[in-house]
Amino acid sequence: MESARNEVLKVFEVMEGDKAKKIIESKPYIKGKDIKNLGVSPGPLYGELLDEVFKAKLEGRLKSKEEEISFVKNILRVGKENTSCC
């Protein structure tokens, strides 16, 4: 998943205009190690979380690494709330 995102970013690097710049600048600050530090086991969930961060950055909702970490924590919290059975 990460390599696909990098390939997309490389394509946008050759594009001109503000949209390409915004997309390039939207690359998440957080990495897999940051997600691991939140207690998430390595796996496909990393890519899903990073994709959600990327989308939120494109929308201008996240400006810093701290905001990204809080955003991921919230996704994980909501996910746990939605899967608790009792």
Side-chain angles (χ1 to χ4, degrees):
M1 185 67 81
E2 183 68 28
S3 62
R5 184 177 9 264
N6 287 338
E7 287 181 33
V8 169
L9 290 173
K10 286 179 186 175
V11 169
F12 286 120
E13 285 176 354
V14 297
M15 293 176 58
E16 294 181 32
D18 291 336
K19 186 174 181 179
K21 182 179 178 184
K22 181 178 178 182
I23 292 170
I24 292 167
E25 291 173 350
S26 295
K27 184 176 179 183
Y29 294 114
I30 65 169
K31 307 287 184 223
K33 67 177 182 162
D34 299 303
I35 296 172
K36 182 178 180 180
N37 289 339
L38 296 175
V40 179
S41 298
L45 182 58
Y46 278 34
E48 293 171 22
L49 292 168
L50 289 170
D51 284 346
E52 291 302 315
V53 169
F54 188 71
K55 289 177 201 173
K57 286 193 72 156
L58 279 175
E59 295 169 358
R61 296 188 287 145
L62 304 174
K63 305 287 185 201
S64 68
K65 184 174 183 174
E66 292 75 22
E67 289 179 353
E68 292 178 14
I69 290 171
S70 292
F71 181 77
V72 170
K73 284 180 180 179
N74 187 53
I75 291 173
L76 294 171
R77 181 184 52 78
V78 169
K80 284 182 182 178
E81 290 174 0
N82 290 337
T83 58
S84 44
C85 66
C86 308

